[in-house]
Amino acid sequence: MSFRSLLLPLSVLLLVTPMALADSAPHYYVPSSSRLRPKTVRAEVCVYGGTAAGVIAAVQLKRLGHNVALVTNGSHLGGMTTGGLSFTDFGNKAAIGGMSRELYRRIGALYGVDEEWCFEPHVAEAALDGMVAQSGLNVYTRQYVKSARKEEGRLVSLTTESGLTVKAQAFIDASYEGDLMALAGVSYAVGREGNETYGETLNGVQLRQTHQFNSPVDPYLAEGHPASGVLPGIDPKEPGPQGSGDKRVQAYNFRLCLTKDPTNRIPFPKPEGYDPARYTLLARYLATGWNEVTRKFDGIRGSKVDMNNHGGFSTDFIGGNYAYPEADHATRERIFQDHVSYQQGLMYFLANDPSVPEAIRAEVGPWGLCRDEFTDTGGWPRQLYIREARRMVSDTVMTEHNCKGEKVSEDPVGLGAYNMDSHNCSRFAKGGRVWNEGDVQVGGYPPYPISYRSIVPRKAECQNLLVPVCMSASHIAYGSIRMEPVFMILAQSAALAADLALRGGVAVQDVPYTELRPALERAGQVLGWPVKGGS
């Protein structure tokens, strides 16, 4: 069943579009047209970031009667929730309430069920766009923040490359990158803290067995000859000692929506500049007998799958993202396109290259992109999976101790429920074989409260900004918190806090938790554990 007809025309929702795309390729960055004239918009609250979290925050504020501007650098709304992450990472459904749960119920309603967590991207987009349309929210697309102005410790406005200036009394940065947060002068971290920073055990360099090469694979251009150099994607230098910090961030990828349906299937495209040598390491690994290429083809509605990374060599472009968090928009576009080229080439290689075992080619070949998904980008997702970029450093930093329940926040604005989950951060040569490093998957703990202080900056840095996505957490704690349902939970809580700050005429740091908690509870947020029906 297709829901393409349920999608609202973008012209209804999106008020400012700098320039139309000249091709059908996905883009992070589209430079603004020089013909555009500066425009100023005034709102009570400006939400930057068209992620699902940004949409939830903006719609919540509209429902409370505020004049809201939602500014996004994308051409579609929803981030990863509508961008391919369809096999939802929820940890424990009973920990998810409020408008986050409402969205999954809206998606379910489009399928005729109570709620749906394994959905087609275009159906999720229809549900989210429906929320936006019903709220009457003003959305400004393809807007890349360029500068921000502060007065007396408060953000006054942001300005984008196209000349759009949004003046507001309160701001929410719901982007995956934290660009507005950085422009506001808020402290942040990039990469992995050493374990000693917060007394953790799972942070920093982590050489472990998950998503590792199960069999020895030679890393050198000429096998057995270190002097020949290493294969593409391998660092010739070893990482630091176990648990030591660095600036590396966990790998990014695209979550592909695939089908075998011949009437809906688009064969994997051969990217421009395709070089099979980029996948020599994979060919060597497959030659050892590794055959788990399709292990993470997770079934979703519509006879489709959500393809995620799995194993020693997969869709994660390890090491290709180090510069992304703090890069300018043009540099991010180059990194984005390198990820497109890497992953398109990977899929083409697996389906077609003669060095791939015939059984693997026969297994991958029948799959392809979906004609009815991401129709403006040839079936390829528009959103790169930014698993981690900047992370705010505030008065409260969520850490491994919170995830394990060793430290309990007394001012919760939502619950985290997923494993501490970091994808690999580096790939290197040691002892004549290749190793992956950085993958951590540690769980077995009940849902835990996330502090309000972790989504607001230090008061001395900015008094009217909330940051529910690039929130204050160590690398490994962020690996648990960074799930789409939780981002939406924190964003709704941020919106409710902004409402109280505006009504009380106080800084977001001075919103009384005795007032915030009842507002959160009325909104259906789950703030404690255990809850009825939880496990």
Side-chain angles (χ1 to χ4, degrees):
M1 182 175 184
S2 174
F3 291 89
R4 181 60 53 194
S5 61
L6 293 174
L7 289 176
L8 296 167
L10 288 178
S11 59
V12 173
L13 302 174
L14 311 175
L15 304 183
V16 178
T17 304
M19 64 177 289
L21 298 182
D23 57 40
S24 61
H27 292 274
Y28 161 80
Y29 176 62
V30 181
S32 301
S33 169
S34 60
R35 297 189 299 274
L36 290 174
R37 297 179 180 178
K39 177 183 178 67
T40 298
V41 171
R42 288 175 171 80
E44 287 180 279
V45 185
C46 175
V47 177
Y48 183 75
T51 61
V55 172
I56 292 296
V59 171
Q60 173 65 89
L61 285 159
K62 280 292 291 183
R63 291 178 179 178
L64 292 169
H66 293 286
N67 177 14
V68 184
L70 176 59
V71 180
T72 176
N73 57 26
S75 58
H76 292 254
L77 297 175
M80 287 305 301
T81 295
T82 62
L85 204 170
S86 298
F87 189 78
T88 306
D89 300 311
F90 50 74
N92 193 314
K93 293 177 186 177
I96 301 168
M99 292 177 67
S100 181
R101 194 63 174 256
E102 177 189 334
L103 177 61
Y104 296 105
R105 288 172 176 158
R106 282 175 172 258
I107 295 171
L110 296 178
Y111 287 113
V113 297
D114 289 340
E115 57 188 25
E116 183 55 71
W117 304 84
C118 301
F119 43 79
E120 296 162 278
H122 74 270
V123 178
E125 187 173 4
L128 202 66
D129 284 353
M131 294 176 76
V132 171
Q134 289 172 10
S135 72
L137 179 65
N138 292 334
V139 183
Y140 302 84
T141 63
R142 286 293 181 199
Q143 297 293 334
Y144 301 87
V145 65
K146 180 180 180 181
S147 62
R149 188 163 65 90
K150 286 173 67 178
E151 292 180 1
E152 299 179 350
R154 299 175 68 88
L155 271 174
V156 175
S157 64
L158 67 78
T159 299
T160 70
E161 288 189 353
S162 75
L164 174 69
T165 295
V166 181
K167 297 182 177 181
Q169 299 169 45
F171 293 80
I172 295 175
D173 186 341
S175 69
Y176 291 127
E177 296 87 0
D179 289 341
L180 179 58
M181 171 187 74
L183 289 170
V186 171
S187 297
Y188 64 86
V190 174
R192 302 180 286 186
E193 299 89 353
N195 274 329
E196 73 280 357
T197 302
Y198 299 116
E200 297 176 298
T201 64
L202 299 171
N203 213 334
V205 173
Q206 295 287 321
L207 183 58
R208 303 168 74 90
Q209 294 305 310
T210 47
H211 294 287
Q212 190 57 266
F213 288 87
N214 298 337
S215 303
V217 180
D218 190 293
Y220 304 117
L221 290 171
E223 293 188 68
H225 296 280
S228 67
V230 293
L231 292 170
I234 301 176
D235 192 332
K237 297 180 181 179
E238 297 178 29
Q242 186 85 347
S244 62
D246 57 28
K247 292 293 185 181
R248 292 174 169 139
V249 292
Q250 57 179 306
Y252 301 166
N253 72 345
F254 289 94
R255 295 286 286 260
L256 301 183
C257 185
L258 306 180
T259 184
K260 281 185 174 180
D261 180 353
T263 65
N264 196 30
R265 172 182 169 271
I266 302 173
F268 294 119
K270 183 179 183 180
E272 184 178 354
Y274 169 72
D275 181 4
R278 199 174 194 181
Y279 312 100
T280 300
L281 178 60
L282 175 58
R284 291 181 185 176
Y285 190 31
L286 292 171
T288 70
W290 186 70
N291 61 355
E292 299 178 7
V293 170
T294 61
R295 174 90 174 261
K296 280 298 289 178
F297 279 37
D298 294 313
I300 60 173
R301 291 272 186 168
S303 300
K304 301 170 183 175
V305 297
D306 168 356
M307 180 187 183
N308 197 8
N309 181 81
H310 175 75
F313 193 114
S314 187
T315 58
D316 279 359
F317 184 13
I318 299 172
N321 60 347
Y322 295 157
Y324 184 93
E326 297 183 287
D328 60 28
H329 299 303
T331 302
R332 284 184 186 159
E333 170 67 7
R334 291 194 292 273
I335 295 170
F336 180 99
Q337 293 304 332
D338 200 20
H339 278 73
V340 173
S341 176
Y342 165 80
Q343 199 164 337
Q344 284 187 350
L346 170 68
M347 302 312 297
Y348 184 85
F349 178 84
L350 287 169
N352 297 281
D353 196 276
S355 68
V356 175
E358 184 177 354
I360 300 292
R361 279 182 280 144
E363 187 177 5
V364 176
W367 291 98
L369 306 176
C370 301
R371 295 186 184 279
D372 62 347
E373 303 290 351
F374 315 117
T375 55
D376 56 339
T377 52
W380 195 264
R382 311 174 190 102
Q383 176 66 58
L384 180 62
Y385 194 178
I386 310 302
R387 291 189 173 94
E388 177 184 15
R390 295 183 178 99
R391 303 185 318 277
M392 182 167 63
V393 179
S394 188
D395 290 331
T396 293
V397 179
M398 300 293 294
T399 69
E400 173 184 329
H401 305 295
N402 296 97
C403 300
K404 291 180 175 179
E406 298 167 352
K407 183 177 181 181
V408 180
S409 300
E410 297 180 352
D411 56 348
V413 287
L415 299 180
Y418 205 76
N419 297 341
M420 285 177 278
D421 184 330
S422 172
H423 283 233
N424 278 308
C425 300
S426 69
R427 175 176 287 151
F428 65 97
K430 179 182 179 180
R433 62 177 292 184
V434 63
W435 299 87
N436 291 334
E437 177 276 316
D439 191 275
V440 179
Q441 298 176 50
V442 176
Y445 307 102
Y448 57 91
I450 300 171
S451 171
Y452 176 59
R453 299 290 159 189
S454 72
I455 67 169
V456 294
R458 295 165 178 154
K459 188 175 180 181
E461 294 182 342
C462 193
Q463 299 176 23
N464 63 337
L465 172 68
L466 297 106
V467 186
V469 175
C470 293
M471 43 82 67
S472 180
S474 70
H475 158 77
I476 194 58
Y478 194 80
S480 168
I481 294 168
R482 64 173 180 86
M483 304 303 157
E484 291 287 292
V486 180
F487 283 158
M488 287 186 271
I489 289 166
L490 298 181
Q492 184 182 10
S493 295
L496 293 166
D499 172 67
L500 290 174
L502 290 171
R503 296 183 190 280
V506 299
V508 293
Q509 295 83 2
D510 295 333
V511 171
Y513 189 70
T514 53
E515 295 181 16
L516 178 58
R517 182 168 186 127
L520 299 174
E521 290 172 340
R522 288 193 297 272
Q525 298 284 49
V526 181
L527 303 177
W529 197 262
V531 297
K532 185 177 181 180
S535 61

